[in-house]
Amino acid sequence: MLDKYETHEHDVVIIGAGGAGLRAAIECSARGLKTALICKSLLGKAHTVMAEGGIAAALANVESADSWQTHFQDTMFGGKYLNNWRMAELHAKESPDRVRELERWGAVFDRTPEGKILQRAFGGHTYKRLAHVGDRTGLELIRTLQDKGIHQGIDVYMECTISRLLKDGDRMTGAFGYWRENGRFVVFKAKAVILATGGVGKCFKITSNSWEGTADGHALGFEAGAELVDMEFVQFHPTGMVWPPGVMGLLVTEAVRGEGGILRNSKGERFMEKYDPKRMELSTRDVVARSIYTEVKEGRGSPHGGCFLDISHRGAEYVKRKLPSMYHQFKELADVDITKEPMEVGPTCHYIMGGIKVDADTGATRVPGLFAAGECTGGMHGSNRLGGNSLSDLLVFGRRAGIGAGDYAAGAPAANIAEAEVEAAAAEMTGYFGRPNPESPYKLHIDLQNMMQSMVGIFREEGDLTAAIAKLQEFKQRYEHVAVEEGQRMYNPGWHLCRDLKNMLICSEAIARAALMRKESRGGHSRLDFPKYDSYWGEHNIIISKDGPAMKVEPRETVKVAELAPLVEARKAKESSK
Amino acid sequence: MSKRTFVVWRGNKDGGNFVEYPVEVEEGMVVLDAIHQIQRTSAPDLACRWNCKAAKCGSCSAEVNGKPRLMCKTRLDDLPGEEAITVKPLKSFPIIRDLVTDVSWNYTVNKKIPPFTPKKGADFIMQQSDVDRVQEFRKCIECFLCQNVCHVVREHNQKSHFFGPRFFIRVASLEMHPMDALNRIPQIKKEGGLGRCNITKCCTEVCPEEIHITDNGIIPLKERVVDQFFDPVQIVIRKITGADKPQPTE
């Protein structure tokens, strides 16, 4: 029946080939399952390559006092206790093994004088904890997994975009997509599907994310019936480039501050003394981003609307060795020699803490056969992610989702796919061609990004959020008219953007609705009209699910783990005594 | 705001031609910004690959004014002022559409190289000085500019029996890894066609990561080939010491 479309059959199909997707694929194929790894780009180009600073893991190579307990506490404190406790526990306990495993697969980390894996300081981490390779740790991670994966029999499908998940009744049975190269459609049949699609940065104007960060997994999961959690929590990384205009938002690694970089305003004041005198530049990212934003807003910003970040006191040789790509990035793109002069930096949309709600141990969503891992999931980081906790998240939960999906697939019957669903998915994609009164997808995308940046950005308030939700309804109307010219299906980025917009609209609405409901400020969610913590909201996550054509938004009590309570209470007591 | 003219190759495997586009120039703008502007304003279907826009992923390789470059790293103010800027796809790979080429050959080659295989009982205690060189090679972002300019590929299209500079340094990074047990020198000599490289250093010149591909990677590999295959003294020493036997792996 489906012979009209190219069809591939697998035990497990993994959508997304960054750190989480690759790690999941390695786990599935190691268990003898027929595994597909689908990448929107070429293999090895996923956004994971942009991760710079390192992988957080309590190896205790540099500071022997470190332990999983302290890492767990730091993660919980960073997330302002809204984290999924079990995820934070598994992450802290298992990340050292994942890092050592990576080394055995060929990753070459920077070394201590004893010849062990070197670890560096990072914001919110009590001890020097980040295993790293200069400032290109993400590249090392993805290349290692890539080279491991391709020799293990994983079927890699490159430059293929999934536009719909396919179900048989309640159960996930596959995915529908198109080849970027020729625009032809393809069907993947699978006993289990893992979403590992990464982030949503392209909903915002100023972002460190690549074009791929279009909320694909968030929206596909939502549409398929999975729940989203913590969507109001968006991380604005404190330090993105602010000049020149073309690179605005490009990431400046936190490792600059980890290596001793100092933030100053236009008056030369080290302003973090005012906002977090204890942790200073290495405070958590939410705090540093808000501090920079406030300095700029109050008229103490740098010439291009940021602040100054200075590492030149560490000496040219040290800077070039420890931060080589930052040195080149500023030298080549901004004519700034960071070994001699300060950088200009400002907040940039970097990461979303919220995402698909999953079981901590297996990565299972509430849809049978659908699993998820990495940035497209929520819970692990609570209201704010610590730097370095993302790469470890990818490895720990990528592996776990691989095991979860693998176990499920091993016991599941063969997948069945309904023809009508496939036809509907195909019609959706061809529907973008030659519509009357066409709306440019590029124009709608820019309008969406500007709106999200100004109304659902670093600081939020009720009036803006209500207006943003109204605006999103208008954008959804306009989306019905986005179109490209008839005919060209080969590698047509305008056509691809049409479909990506749908994902971004769903995700933006989820962010705005959750942000409106949370009447407090916490982590990556700051309300001007509710600037303080609220005790009710300190115990509740916001869950979003599909309710017919509408979006259901509801608070749900945070689930705790009794055995971990003493660790959490001890940390709370320590922080309040400061 | 000033204007500049871009001349971009449009077409597919059956042929194509250069099309002129006017571009509004902003301060600090790079070629990739201009391509994006053209997509937004006049050619929504203009095909190009890109991901990070930060010279970290190696996706946006193209030939700008005849020179292979990353478009995200090529600033307009570094290109001669008055003339039009030409942008073409990489010459050494088959065209898919516009600026996008079929680079699958590179993935095929990579799969042929046996992966990192630790020695039996490897403890992974390694000094920084012992891994500096390996780390240099592992900086590679796989932009394939080196593959594109290598004359063995570009002029003579010997892809079927040549790995190319990218994969010579990949092999070098494995051969120089202190904990690796395998010997990939016979492979790189025969299947990899290392001997075809005559060290003109074109690859090193275009490397955006400034990896010393020729001096630090290819030449040491060539020396290892000589040691293993052509140096009678070395061959005798290895026979006596047993050093040419395969090392135990895990």
Side-chain angles (χ1 to χ4, degrees):
Chain A
M1 69 155 190
L2 295 169
D3 47 5
K4 198 166 150 187
Y5 301 110
E6 177 186 344
T7 301
H8 299 276
E9 195 161 351
H10 292 271
D11 293 317
V12 182
V13 163
I14 296 150
I15 305 168
L22 270 162
R23 187 62 189 81
I26 289 170
E27 202 61 28
C28 290
S29 68
R31 298 166 147 246
L33 296 163
K34 191 164 156 45
T35 306
L37 182 65
I38 303 174
C39 345
K40 208 166 154 183
S41 292
L42 296 172
L43 183 62
K45 308 296 185 192
H47 199 60
T48 305
V49 299
M50 291 286 287
E52 294 166 345
I55 309 177
L59 295 161
N61 283 355
V62 175
E63 294 187 277
S64 58
D66 202 6
S67 64
W68 78 261
Q69 288 90 342
T70 313
H71 192 184
F72 169 78
Q73 289 175 315
D74 288 346
T75 301
M76 292 296 293
F77 174 71
K80 297 292 174 282
Y81 307 109
L82 267 192
N83 317 53
N84 177 316
W85 290 33
R86 175 68 176 155
M87 283 176 104
E89 177 197 12
L90 288 170
H91 169 260
K93 280 182 172 165
E94 294 180 2
S95 52
D97 281 347
R98 299 287 76 75
V99 170
R100 285 189 280 260
E101 172 183 83
L102 213 56
E103 182 165 70
R104 303 198 77 79
W105 292 350
V108 183
F109 293 102
D110 288 356
R111 316 308 298 177
T112 67
E114 302 80 44
K116 295 196 262 185
I117 296 172
L118 181 61
Q119 298 179 275
R120 67 157 52 114
F122 235 58
H125 291 282
T126 303
Y127 298 108
K128 290 184 175 170
R129 189 176 283 148
L130 268 71
H132 61 276
V133 187
D135 53 6
R136 54 163 194 87
T137 315
L139 175 68
E140 188 71 12
L141 183 147
I142 207 162
R143 204 62 85 226
T144 304
L145 294 178
Q146 178 183 347
D147 288 327
K148 170 86 180 159
I150 58 167
H151 290 99
Q152 220 179 255
I154 298 167
D155 292 313
V156 181
Y157 299 94
M158 291 197 253
E159 298 200 305
C160 179
T161 303
I162 295 302
S163 64
R164 186 175 298 220
L165 298 179
L166 303 170
K167 281 162 82 174
D168 180 20
D170 283 342
R171 185 192 153 205
M172 189 57 45
T173 50
F176 176 93
Y178 60 85
W179 297 109
R180 303 175 66 77
E181 176 177 338
N182 55 28
R184 292 210 189 94
F185 297 138
V186 55
V187 174
F188 294 93
K189 285 172 84 170
K191 293 176 182 170
V193 173
I194 302 176
L195 291 171
T197 54
V200 310
K202 282 291 161 190
C203 297
F204 293 84
K205 182 184 171 201
I206 302 175
T207 176
S208 63
N209 287 192
S210 80
W211 72 272
E212 293 186 293
T214 50
D216 296 7
H218 289 79
L220 290 171
F222 169 83
E223 290 277 299
E227 291 176 324
L228 303 177
V229 61
D230 296 339
M231 290 300 286
E232 65 275 34
F233 298 117
V234 176
Q235 180 167 80
F236 287 83
H237 193 289
T239 60
M241 288 176 82
V242 294
W243 189 90
V247 297
M248 189 184 286
L250 196 65
L251 189 65
V252 177
T253 174
E254 186 168 330
V256 176
R257 285 171 286 137
E259 298 293 348
I262 290 169
L263 291 167
R264 289 200 178 86
N265 61 22
S266 61
K267 294 177 158 177
E269 295 161 340
R270 192 174 177 185
F271 57 84
M272 284 311 295
E273 284 170 355
K274 267 189 306 196
Y275 301 97
D276 188 348
K278 178 145 196 308
R279 297 185 183 83
M280 301 288 278
E281 281 81 5
L282 289 181
S283 181
T284 51
R285 287 178 173 175
D286 53 336
V287 175
V288 182
R290 280 195 299 271
S291 306
I292 295 173
Y293 186 92
T294 306
E295 289 297 306
V296 175
K297 202 154 192 190
E298 292 176 359
R300 295 183 295 275
S302 64
H304 298 99
C307 69
F308 296 107
L309 172 59
D310 194 0
I311 186 74
S312 60
H313 55 279
R314 296 302 308 256
E317 201 192 319
Y318 185 83
V319 172
K320 284 185 199 170
R321 184 158 53 84
K322 296 306 281 187
L323 304 162
S325 46
M326 285 304 107
Y327 171 75
H328 288 289
Q329 186 171 311
F330 274 90
K331 189 102 184 135
E332 282 150 19
L333 299 175
D335 297 324
V336 169
D337 181 348
I338 67 167
T339 66
K340 296 198 177 81
E341 51 193 322
M343 300 158 243
E344 262 189 83
V345 294
T348 177
C349 177
H350 184 55
Y351 188 87
I352 186 161
M353 276 64 76
I356 301 162
K357 192 172 183 312
V358 292
D359 174 62
D361 290 78
T362 63
T365 70
R366 71 172 183 178
V367 180
L370 181 62
F371 297 76
E375 188 174 348
C376 72
T377 66
M380 160 65 208
H381 306 288
S383 68
N384 174 58
R385 174 174 72 79
L386 296 184
N389 270 3
S390 181
L391 292 184
S392 42
D393 169 5
L394 305 181
L395 296 171
V396 168
F397 295 104
R399 171 178 165 275
R400 282 192 163 268
I403 296 171
D407 286 349
Y408 177 91
N416 185 37
I417 283 176
E419 194 173 358
E421 264 203 273
V422 174
E423 291 304 334
E428 178 184 37
M429 286 311 302
T430 49
Y432 298 113
F433 287 110
R435 285 178 176 164
N437 309 317
E439 167 89 43
S440 157
Y442 294 98
K443 176 76 174 60
L444 180 55
H445 189 202
I446 291 169
D447 290 350
L448 172 69
Q449 290 180 310
N450 285 331
M451 187 283 284
M452 288 299 286
Q453 189 77 32
S454 64
M455 294 163 101
V456 197
I458 296 187
F459 283 104
R460 301 156 174 181
E461 58 185 332
E462 180 154 340
D464 278 352
L465 292 169
T466 313
I469 291 167
K471 208 72 184 147
L472 283 163
Q473 304 314 309
E474 185 193 314
F475 290 161
K476 282 199 272 185
Q477 297 291 321
R478 287 172 59 189
Y479 164 76
E480 296 299 324
H481 298 278
V482 293
V484 284
E485 267 180 59
E486 196 75 65
Q488 183 55 267
R489 277 173 69 163
M490 277 178 76
Y491 222 108
N492 184 341
W495 183 42
H496 305 158
L497 180 58
C498 288
R499 181 58 187 78
D500 291 345
L501 270 172
K502 181 179 171 184
N503 297 337
M504 288 186 271
L505 286 167
I506 291 171
C507 179
S508 298
E509 184 174 348
I511 295 170
R513 287 191 186 279
L516 181 63
M517 179 176 269
R518 182 170 289 277
K519 292 186 166 47
E520 66 155 357
S521 291
R522 183 178 299 270
H525 170 69
S526 302
R527 288 279 297 255
L528 290 168
D529 42 356
F530 298 97
K532 296 213 165 70
Y533 291 124
D534 175 277
S535 59
Y536 171 82
W537 286 112
E539 302 274 329
H540 288 80
N541 300 92
I542 292 174
I543 310 287
I544 290 180
S545 58
K546 192 171 164 64
D547 185 13
M551 199 172 259
K552 189 162 130 197
V553 189
E554 56 188 325
R556 193 177 298 166
E557 205 172 329
T558 306
V559 182
K560 299 173 179 174
V561 178
E563 304 86 83
L564 298 169
L567 284 174
V568 172
E569 292 311 319
R571 185 55 181 265
K572 280 184 179 168
K574 192 176 157 201
E575 291 297 331
S576 61
S577 70
K578 271 177 190 163
Chain B
M1 212 179 268
S2 64
K3 273 201 169 151
R4 286 193 77 168
T5 303
F6 270 72
V7 181
V8 183
W9 194 87
R10 303 292 311 268
N12 56 35
K13 66 177 172 28
D14 302 322
N17 53 291
F18 285 96
V19 181
E20 264 190 38
Y21 299 99
V23 167
E24 301 270 1
V25 178
E26 277 186 324
E27 216 182 348
M29 195 165 175
V30 295
V31 171
L32 187 58
D33 292 322
I35 296 294
H36 285 160
Q37 193 188 110
I38 294 167
Q39 287 179 330
R40 274 199 307 275
T41 54
S42 44
D45 64 339
L46 169 60
C48 94
R49 277 197 188 102
W50 72 285
N51 277 55
C52 74
K53 211 177 169 295
K56 291 193 168 64
C57 75
S59 301
C60 63
S61 306
E63 301 193 359
V64 179
N65 284 353
K67 279 191 83 172
R69 316 279 298 255
L70 292 179
M71 290 192 283
C72 70
K73 236 179 125 176
T74 308
R75 285 177 52 163
L76 302 193
D77 47 19
D78 289 339
L79 301 169
E82 297 309 308
E83 292 153 44
I85 297 166
T86 59
V87 187
K88 324 185 269 199
L90 297 182
K91 186 190 166 199
S92 300
F93 306 114
I95 297 281
I96 292 177
R97 189 165 164 241
D98 301 342
L99 302 176
V100 178
T101 56
D102 176 359
V103 294
S104 57
W105 167 62
N106 296 288
Y107 289 88
T108 310
V109 172
N110 194 29
K111 218 168 167 171
K112 292 180 186 164
I113 300 168
F116 175 71
T117 308
K119 292 173 192 164
K120 194 162 193 276
D123 61 3
F124 287 87
I125 298 294
M126 302 183 282
Q127 291 304 311
Q128 185 61 46
S129 55
D130 294 332
V131 298
D132 277 340
R133 189 55 56 79
V134 177
Q135 286 186 330
E136 181 194 354
F137 301 147
R138 291 182 66 87
K139 284 198 300 190
C140 171
I141 57 174
E142 296 202 326
C143 63
F144 305 130
L145 289 178
C146 59
Q147 304 285 77
N148 178 58
V149 293
C150 176
H151 61 96
V152 180
V153 180
R154 194 177 177 98
E155 315 299 339
H156 307 288
N157 196 19
Q158 307 216 349
K159 293 195 186 90
S160 55
H161 33 279
F162 186 65
F163 282 2
R166 156 54 189 140
F167 298 101
F168 294 149
I169 62 149
R170 164 86 185 128
V171 170
S173 77
L174 293 162
E175 288 299 296
M176 296 182 196
H177 192 303
M179 298 292 144
D180 184 78
L182 302 187
N183 175 12
R184 297 168 190 80
I185 297 301
Q187 183 196 33
I188 202 79
K189 172 178 180 288
K190 295 187 191 100
E191 200 184 354
L194 183 69
R196 290 169 206 275
C197 162
N198 55 6
I199 52 175
T200 51
K201 299 198 180 183
C202 308
C203 51
T204 305
E205 270 172 41
V206 296
C207 179
E209 287 293 311
E210 299 179 3
I211 300 169
H212 298 91
I213 301 172
T214 317
D215 290 348
N216 291 352
I218 293 177
I219 292 174
L221 284 180
K222 281 177 175 278
E223 286 167 356
R224 291 186 187 205
V225 169
V226 171
D227 284 352
Q228 288 192 21
F229 289 89
F230 304 111
D231 184 337
V233 178
Q234 292 277 349
I235 292 168
V236 170
I237 290 171
R238 281 200 309 276
K239 282 264 184 274
I240 295 166
T241 61
D244 55 354
K245 293 206 183 86
Q247 297 212 43
T249 60
E250 293 202 325

